[in-house]
Amino acid sequence: MQRLDWFDLRNMLTVARAVTQAASLRTESRGAHQREDFPEMLPQWRVNQVIRLRGGSLDITQAPASPMEVAAQ
């Protein structure tokens, strides 16, 4: 069981790192993501951030949001 716990912890730390890095790159406030240093919503951030784990490092890119996602905002 200890081995499974270690894998779970490793995965949780990877997800936490991904969320933190993606949030620090987003220089605006949107939805539940609120920043005191960037309080406004910006149209250029109507994108999805795509995060991939490559060789132990996180690769964060942007993809256009679908029209339905933009309409929901």
Side-chain angles (χ1 to χ4, degrees):
M1 194 61 175
Q2 288 178 349
R3 185 173 180 172
L4 291 177
D5 290 340
W6 185 87
F7 285 125
D8 283 343
L9 176 61
R10 183 187 65 178
N11 291 338
M12 286 187 282
L13 290 172
T14 300
V15 170
R17 195 174 86 203
V19 169
T20 303
Q21 286 184 12
S24 68
L25 290 175
R26 184 178 283 275
T27 54
E28 67 150 12
S29 291
R30 184 174 297 270
H33 176 90
Q34 300 293 317
R35 291 188 58 166
E36 290 181 8
D37 53 345
F38 297 102
E40 303 297 321
M41 288 177 58
L42 303 173
Q44 64 264 31
W45 274 106
R46 288 184 178 158
V47 298
N48 293 318
Q49 289 178 295
V50 180
I51 304 171
R52 291 184 176 88
L53 182 62
R54 295 180 191 223
S57 65
L58 296 174
D59 180 30
I60 303 175
T61 58
Q62 294 178 359
S66 72
M68 300 244 340
E69 290 172 317
V70 172
Q73 295 176 1

